[in-house]
Amino acid sequence: MIALLMRDLRLAFRAGGGFGLGLAFFLIVTTLVPFSVGPQPALLSTIAAGVLWLGALLACLLSLDRLLALDYEDGTLDLLLTAPLPLEAAVSVKALAHWITTGLPLVLAAPVLGVLLNLPGAGYGWLVISLAIGTPALSVIGTFGAALTVGIKRGGLLLSLLVLPLYVPTLIFGAEAARRGAAGLDPATPLLMLAGITLATIALMPFASAAVLRMGLR
Amino acid sequence: MTLKASNLTLARGGVPVLTGLSFVLEPRAALILRGPNGAGKTTLLRTIAGLQPAVEGEISGAADQIAYAGHADGLKAMLTVRENLMFWAQVFGRHDITPALDAYALHPLADRLAGTLSAGQKRRLGLSRLLVTGCPIWVLDEPTVSLDTDAVAMFAAAVRAHLAQGGSALMATHIDLGLEADVIDITPYRAMTTLRVGASDEAFL
């Protein structure tokens, strides 16, 4: 399992691995928002938490279609299926690698981009905490979507259509926690809900992903 | 480990391709599948490797014993030869890749990126993966594609060494490897294609 994680991380950092794509996308989306909304600091600071969450979510989506598709194309998935490693473990590890290369940089970059959107001072901590708790769910759900569309050529758009509705609960509670934190309210309830969603998806989704992958590879 | 398959019926995309096929593969033996294109060789090998279920019939002795090598080699272009092999060795809980590099003369290429290798070199790397798995049963689908005569000899030697260590091999190939192997021609087991098995969802894929 560690071998698979190290391989995925190594591939992500090599040329063409796609590391930093999500981060760059996040950066661009959040810098475009002040241009489109206009120079209104009060309005920006109210929508900052929501925009940052939406940007992070879309950036996560961007790298999902290569998560399993590349391994499918070069035959690695077939060989992994015949290896002694359980497929549930393999998809969990791949989700973890996706989070480390996509989700984690987003969490770390979010406070910097918060400045651009005039995020209120109280909100920075809660934004980072809510993203840190919520983004693993995005990776795990995304792996399920990638497993569903694995045999399909150019399945990226279909993948987005399948995965985005599943992201709704995470977005609602994550953005709500960050917004409440920014407004100086108590964010405990949405944070707990968010943590619940993340833990449930981590516990259940790998089994679903492995099951659809087995069907897809037949 | 003896691999037994009895009375197999196999389907591809909902269309049955083979029916009533049985064979036994003993340790130290090799079995070569012959048959025209589309006869169901790949379907049979994928089923034996556990990648798809058989429609009917039973396979025993296969669980966690099989190293499968299909048409695709499962190599990552941006990893070196050594990293590619090391990864598969670790997946199968092993660490020594030197014998595999020796067997296919890959030492001079060990630090090259797999993406820069020629087709035959990639194939050699793909086949050397079998040696790092430590699995007793090799299931090989057209292993000699794009190999030159020297590399085919390396492959034949590797198979012979594997058999001598008590392993066994099931392969679909049209080349004479000079092995003492039983040959099954699967043409007579061809299923009636008018028969449909289960519902197919091909239309959506």
Side-chain angles (χ1 to χ4, degrees), chain B residues 59-141:
Chain B
I59 300 166
S60 65
D64 277 347
Q65 303 286 325
I66 285 185
Y68 172 72
H71 294 292
D73 289 318
L75 305 175
K76 288 292 171 194
M78 292 310 294
L79 294 182
T80 65
V81 169
R82 195 188 301 280
E83 284 167 341
N84 267 304
L85 262 188
M86 204 61 202
F87 165 67
W88 286 112
Q90 285 168 345
V91 165
F92 284 85
R94 292 160 159 260
H95 299 282
D96 190 15
I97 59 166
T98 321
L101 289 174
D102 287 335
Y104 288 95
L106 289 168
H107 277 291
L109 305 171
D111 294 313
R112 290 249 304 262
L113 290 181
T116 62
L117 299 182
S118 76
Q121 288 170 331
K122 277 184 191 152
R123 195 72 200 167
R124 264 153 65 195
L125 176 54
L127 291 172
S128 69
R129 185 185 60 83
L130 294 166
L131 293 168
V132 301
T133 62
C135 292
I137 303 174
W138 287 2
V139 173
L140 313 172
D141 196 356

Side-chain angles (χ1 to χ4, degrees), chain A residues 184-206:
Chain A
L185 301 166
D186 177 21
T189 312
L191 268 186
L192 287 174
M193 293 297 285
L194 184 65
I197 293 168
T198 301
L199 291 175
T201 52
I202 291 175
L204 298 176
M205 276 298 180

Side-chain angles (χ1 to χ4, degrees), chain A residues 1-5 7 10-11 14-16 70-85 152 214 217-218, chain B residues 46 49-53 64 66-70 72-76 78-80 83 86-88 90-92 113 129 204-205:
Chain A
M1 281 174 72
I2 294 166
L4 184 59
L5 179 65
R7 186 201 68 146
R10 196 176 281 160
L11 282 171
R14 297 238 164 125
L70 293 182
D71 277 348
Y72 174 75
E73 280 162 18
D74 63 21
T76 307
L77 271 185
D78 276 354
L79 302 180
L80 271 181
L81 209 60
T82 58
L85 184 70
I152 302 170
R214 282 200 187 92
L217 289 176
R218 253 173 215 181
Chain B
R46 286 180 65 86
L51 289 169
Q52 64 177 75
D64 277 347
I66 285 185
Y68 172 72
D73 289 318
L75 305 175
K76 288 292 171 194
M78 292 310 294
L79 294 182
T80 65
E83 284 167 341
M86 204 61 202
F87 165 67
W88 286 112
Q90 285 168 345
V91 165
F92 284 85
L113 290 181
R129 185 185 60 83
F204 297 101
L205 299 177

Side-chain angles (χ1 to χ4, degrees), chain A residues 56-94:
Chain A
L57 185 142
L58 293 176
C60 249
L61 197 66
L62 201 64
S63 50
L64 283 179
D65 64 329
R66 48 192 307 144
L67 186 67
L68 292 169
L70 293 182
D71 277 348
Y72 174 75
E73 280 162 18
D74 63 21
T76 307
L77 271 185
D78 276 354
L79 302 180
L80 271 181
L81 209 60
T82 58
L85 184 70
L87 198 56
E88 287 79 4
V91 290
S92 305
V93 167
K94 292 198 81 70

Side-chain angles (χ1 to χ4, degrees), chain A residues 15-208:
Chain A
F19 176 76
L21 271 185
L23 194 59
F25 178 80
F26 186 39
L27 177 84
I28 290 171
V29 166
T30 41
T31 42
L32 286 181
V33 170
F35 293 134
S36 65
V37 170
Q40 305 172 55
L43 177 59
L44 276 177
S45 76
T46 9
I47 62 169
V51 167
L52 285 168
W53 250 95
L54 188 61
L57 185 142
L58 293 176
C60 249
L61 197 66
L62 201 64
S63 50
L64 283 179
D65 64 329
R66 48 192 307 144
L67 186 67
L68 292 169
L70 293 182
D71 277 348
Y72 174 75
E73 280 162 18
D74 63 21
T76 307
L77 271 185
D78 276 354
L79 302 180
L80 271 181
L81 209 60
T82 58
L85 184 70
L87 198 56
E88 287 79 4
V91 290
S92 305
V93 167
K94 292 198 81 70
L96 176 62
H98 178 262
W99 183 73
I100 292 175
T101 53
T102 310
L104 191 58
L106 295 179
V107 174
L108 300 176
V112 182
L113 298 175
V115 178
L116 289 178
L117 295 175
N118 197 22
L119 186 72
Y124 287 93
W126 294 115
L127 175 71
V128 172
I129 292 172
S130 68
L131 278 173
I133 295 177
T135 44
L138 301 182
S139 289
V140 176
I141 297 171
T143 309
F144 171 68
L148 266 178
T149 55
V150 77
I152 302 170
K153 294 258 185 270
R154 315 255 186 291
L157 185 61
L158 181 60
L159 170 63
S160 312
L161 291 178
L162 287 170
V163 163
L164 278 176
L166 299 176
Y167 278 177
V168 170
T170 306
L171 178 64
I172 291 175
F173 291 111
E176 178 67 7
R179 193 190 61 79
R180 283 186 173 215
L185 301 166
D186 177 21
T189 312
L191 268 186
L192 287 174
M193 293 297 285
L194 184 65
I197 293 168
T198 301
L199 291 175
T201 52
I202 291 175
L204 298 176
M205 276 298 180
F207 294 98

